Amino acid sequence: MTANKKRILFVDDELGVLQGLERMLFEMADEWDMDFVDGAEKALAELSSRPFDVTISDMRMPGMDGATLLSHVHDEHPNVVRIILTGHSELEATLRAMPVAHSFLTKPCKPSTLEEV
């Protein structure tokens, strides 16, 4: 990893979605150091083990949802940029995530959109 690479943590409970993101973002590997984890608890463990610049999380996950995860990230790692990437837009969950997410993106999301954000 070079010093100017952004460290990005992708979180989703569906392995197929994570594998798709990894394939889709392969060309960004020169600019981004990316980790992909299946679940919020694993994400919190990764965030505690090394620094990240950005956390991108799905909203709907079993156990801890994306809004709750980003709330923990907000409290424990306030300098990490927090993004929701979801295919669902439930009002209650969106309202809970608004104070702790910097941005909301919808699936599917183009690599250029992620890069821009």
Side-chain angles (χ1 to χ4, degrees):
M1 179 181 86
T2 61
N4 58 355
K5 270 185 153 182
K6 295 293 181 199
R7 288 192 52 89
I8 303 175
L9 179 63
F10 290 87
V11 187
D12 200 299
D13 63 310
E14 296 182 38
L15 288 175
V17 170
L18 292 171
Q19 291 167 344
L21 283 167
E22 191 170 6
R23 280 190 305 273
M24 180 180 78
L25 298 170
F26 176 77
E27 293 180 6
M28 297 303 299
D30 290 338
E31 298 176 42
W32 296 349
D33 185 11
M34 297 173 276
D35 287 295
F36 300 85
V37 296
D38 61 334
E41 293 295 336
K42 290 180 183 178
L44 291 175
E46 287 294 315
L47 286 157
S48 294
S49 70
R50 59 185 177 274
F52 284 88
D53 299 300
V54 180
T55 298
I56 301 175
S57 178
D58 185 30
M59 179 65 85
R60 296 174 88 191
M61 296 183 289
M64 186 185 312
D65 69 4
T68 304
L69 169 62
L70 293 189
S71 179
H72 284 289
V73 176
H74 173 267
D75 294 343
E76 298 167 22
H77 310 280
N79 294 328
V80 174
V81 173
R82 300 168 303 276
I83 299 171
I84 291 286
L85 176 62
T86 188
H88 307 281
S89 58
E90 296 170 347
L91 181 60
E92 184 269 333
T94 301
L95 291 174
R96 283 189 307 107
M98 285 181 71
V100 294
H102 292 104
S103 189
F104 289 81
L105 301 174
T106 58
K107 294 178 187 174
C109 183
K110 295 179 182 179
S112 59
T113 302
L114 280 174
E115 185 176 12
E116 186 177 303
V117 172

